[in-house]
Amino acid sequence: GQQLNQSPQSMFIQEGEDVSMNCTSSSIFNTWLWYKQDPGEGPVLLIALYKAGELTSNGRLTAQFGITRKDSFLNISASIPSDVGIYFCAGQLEVVTGKLIFGQGTTLQVKP
Amino acid sequence: NAGVMQNPRHLVRRRGQEARLRCSPMKGHSHVYWYRQLPEEGLKFMVYLQKENIIDESGMPKERFSAEFPKEGPSILRIQQVVRGDSAAYFCASSPKRGGASRETQYFGPGTRLLVL
């Protein structure tokens, strides 16, 4: 089945630093989504990308849909303690069902 | 507008018992997705339902698992004769339209953590 490779697996950074994570796939996706999951909660949508090459920002977050449609990255600028959590990329492959394929997640820890 | 609601939030079952997980989608949403998350892993698609119809169950184990989304009431994910390997977090997501074609994203509930003893 389709797989998304997300990296890095974990990051431990100082408050104020910038963060970058990415996802790659062997399949072409129609949509890329980035979610954040806090402990004990469900994923919360951060950014949605619908077109190859699209660059979208949401506050300190910026994400891009790769030109090849097989990859995406998420950047977080000037990290703060509340950025702590697990970040997941998700690709939407099938137009008919819209089911999502998730990456393995990047665990972010921020040291004040 | 209330978000996606799932209950129970935590469920403990002994091997061989049945587990019933409920999901109430956001108001106005008629599309429901169920995902399973094992510890330290990403979410894995299980099943996609519209009201009274199963559209895609390609991610659902062939035995012991079933799902429904009746005309009235919540969507139910049912696991019969649970085994320890069923221990996981089960999330449901809802969408107002078919996500792939309409750019309508999926909104997730808080999940049900199932522990099988």
Side-chain angles (χ1 to χ4, degrees), chain A residues 37 40 50 96-98 100, chain B residues 9 33 35 37 98 103 106:
Chain A
Q37 185 178 27
Y50 300 107
V96 173
T97 68
L100 298 177
Chain B
R9 293 289 303 269
Y33 301 78
Y35 294 83
Q37 185 179 34
R98 191 181 67 218
R103 292 194 172 190
Q106 296 172 29

Side-chain angles (χ1 to χ4, degrees), chain A residues 4 16 18 27 33 38 43-44 59 68 75 83 91 93 99 104 111-112:
Chain A
L4 291 185
D18 296 344
S27 302
L33 305 167
D38 291 325
V44 174
T68 64
N75 287 341
D83 290 334
L93 180 63
K99 69 183 181 185
Q104 305 96 321
K111 185 178 180 183

